Amino acid sequence: MDTDERFMWAALDLARRGRGTTSPNPMVGAVVVRDGKIVGSGYHQAAGMPHAEVIALRQAGEKARGAVLYVNLEPCAHRGRTGPCADAIIRAGVRRVVAAMEDPNPLVSGKGFQKLAAAGIEVRSGVLEENARRLNEAYIKYITTGRPFVIVKTAVTADGKTATRTGHSRWITGEKARAFVHRLRHNSDAIAVGIGTVLRDNPLLTARPEGGGGRDPLRVIVDSRARLPLDARVINPASRAPTLLAVTPAAPEDKLRALEERGVEILVLPEREGRVDLEALLRKLGEREVCQLLVEGGGSLNYSLLEAGLVDKLMLFIAPLIVGGRESPTSFDGAGVARLEEAWRLRDVEIKQYDGDLLLIGYPVRPQRGHAAEGGSA
């Protein structure tokens, strides 16, 4: 490992500390190095707060003059909620900047590097770039498309069932796996389920990580005809996060008024085959600065998203249980494929273990069929 990679790992480790609090901004960490030693470090903690580079430079003080700054994302050159980091770097007298990747934000996108180079600062980019891109995958998707990065999380038994034939599903996974899911909720901007999940499980959909301090995501219920019960637990006045009900024009107006009186936000979307247009839903969530959407839906919603090409990442817990049953539900319903060569494949697969439960993480690749699906419904 060369020197630049060693200090870039330090910047990446710092950036991870902002997970769950920086959205819609990226996670960024920075270190200032002089004579082979870190003399300043910092990470971006939340939107509107100082950027990582500024914090690291302040900590370094005069030691920043003639030093090297390592950062996992190109320093910004524009004024947003805070001032341009490139200007702060130039004023500090840094002689060299090493970045992991260019910022895909059109407001930056190379302009930070150009400003630094014009000021006589040596710039190197691309150090541990793949690691940096994976860290900020949700930000990259959001800032380049205006839509959230969609993670489908589901839990199945060893024989692929999400519940017994009677619908009993608590709990398929153990405590450590469920604790991970609560951290994942905390790290997400919104969590979505279909109305079937609400009617079956009556979930809270809140973030309750170990040690407390969880940040509840926006709760999104996909419910074409507003079947959400008025006493459903997702209508949670104790939570700071709102509950959003995505419906079609077919939803009864009187039921919508009753839900609004309970504090539920109503989002009327176009319908596709009688159901909520999921692509339209993602566009609306993007407008609300939802960068990462966690889907904990049932087989219908999960398959509709997958079939439409709207799933970016899959997290599949596999528990050491066998329940059997032809009528026991699975994670992905729908028509399915006719031949194995049409099946979705997962790339960049990673496997983790939480006690007896396995977590399979991967990125679905769309099947090569006659034409790609566009949009979706649920």
Side-chain angles (χ1 to χ4, degrees):
M1 182 186 302
D2 67 18
T3 299
D4 284 350
E5 287 187 355
R6 179 161 62 92
F7 288 117
M8 188 59 71
W9 278 120
L12 286 166
D13 287 342
L14 282 166
R16 290 186 185 94
R17 297 185 185 182
R19 191 181 298 278
T21 62
T22 63
S23 184
N25 289 354
M27 291 174 276
V28 182
V31 294
V32 179
V33 176
R34 184 164 184 170
D35 299 327
K37 296 181 180 179
I38 295 177
V39 295
S41 62
Y43 71 96
H44 182 48
Q45 298 180 27
M49 296 186 68
H51 288 187
E53 302 95 318
V54 172
I55 297 172
L57 290 170
R58 287 175 181 171
Q59 189 178 105
E62 281 302 310
K63 293 180 181 179
R65 192 161 300 279
V68 181
L69 184 140
Y70 292 85
V71 62
N72 62 293
L73 190 68
E74 175 186 7
C76 63
H78 69 290
R79 177 171 291 278
R81 299 179 187 180
T82 61
C85 291
D87 291 353
I89 294 169
I90 294 169
R91 289 194 301 270
V94 170
R95 68 172 178 84
R96 183 170 181 254
V97 170
V98 180
M101 61 174 287
E102 181 178 302
D103 191 336
N105 186 340
L107 295 174
V108 185
S109 192
K111 298 181 179 68
F113 291 152
Q114 293 170 9
K115 178 174 278 193
L116 295 172
I121 296 174
E122 179 187 346
V123 176
R124 181 188 178 191
S125 180
V127 177
L128 300 181
E129 180 172 358
E130 184 57 34
N131 301 84
R133 295 186 70 85
R134 187 60 55 84
L135 174 68
N136 275 311
E137 59 190 2
Y139 165 77
I140 293 170
K141 167 74 179 295
Y142 167 74
I143 206 68
T144 57
T145 69
R147 298 193 317 197
F149 184 84
V150 178
I151 299 174
V152 169
K153 189 283 300 179
T154 187
V156 299
T157 59
D159 55 340
K161 309 298 185 180
T162 58
T164 68
R165 60 182 172 78
T166 63
H168 188 253
S169 61
R170 293 188 179 181
W171 297 101
I172 288 178
T173 54
E175 290 185 6
K176 285 191 176 181
R178 297 200 300 274
F180 169 84
V181 172
H182 280 287
R183 292 196 301 272
L184 183 59
R185 289 179 178 181
H186 167 78
N187 295 337
S188 300
D189 301 302
I191 179 172
V193 298
I195 184 58
T197 297
V198 175
L199 296 176
R200 183 182 66 247
D201 298 336
N202 197 19
L204 280 168
L205 299 184
T206 53
R208 305 182 299 279
E210 294 176 323
R215 178 182 65 98
D216 289 345
L218 168 71
R219 294 178 292 279
V220 181
I221 314 301
V222 183
D223 182 10
S224 302
R225 285 164 174 72
R227 293 189 290 154
L228 180 67
L230 296 177
D231 60 352
R233 296 203 300 168
V234 292
I235 305 174
N236 188 346
S239 174
R240 294 183 179 180
T243 298
L244 177 69
L245 192 70
V247 302
T248 67
E253 292 187 8
D254 56 342
K255 180 63 176 296
L256 296 182
R257 284 194 296 270
L259 288 166
E260 285 181 318
E261 290 175 359
R262 295 297 306 275
V264 177
E265 293 186 29
I266 304 298
L267 178 61
V268 181
L269 293 169
E271 65 177 48
R272 184 184 290 268
E273 298 179 356
R275 298 184 175 185
V276 170
D277 186 320
L278 296 175
E279 194 166 19
L281 172 61
L282 294 185
R283 286 196 298 269
K284 288 295 184 180
L285 292 178
E287 291 172 6
R288 293 180 69 126
E289 296 188 333
V290 172
C291 295
Q292 180 166 298
L293 172 66
L294 176 63
V295 178
E296 294 190 30
S300 178
L301 178 60
N302 291 349
Y303 186 82
S304 292
L305 287 164
L306 187 67
E307 170 67 4
L310 301 176
V311 178
D312 296 296
K313 190 173 188 176
L314 176 66
M315 291 186 167
L316 174 64
F317 276 103
I318 305 172
L321 302 172
I322 296 177
V323 301
R326 295 185 185 91
E327 298 179 1
S328 300
T330 63
S331 295
F332 296 92
D333 296 335
V337 301
R339 301 178 59 83
L340 283 178
E341 56 264 31
E342 298 173 341
W344 285 266
R345 302 268 178 182
L346 297 182
R347 62 174 176 82
D348 299 336
V349 172
E350 182 180 1
I351 298 176
K352 299 181 178 181
Q353 187 165 357
Y354 294 83
D355 285 339
D357 302 316
L358 296 179
L359 173 59
L360 177 70
I361 304 172
Y363 300 80
V365 178
R366 300 190 65 185
Q368 295 299 314
R369 292 180 288 178
H371 60 276
E374 296 181 0
S377 61

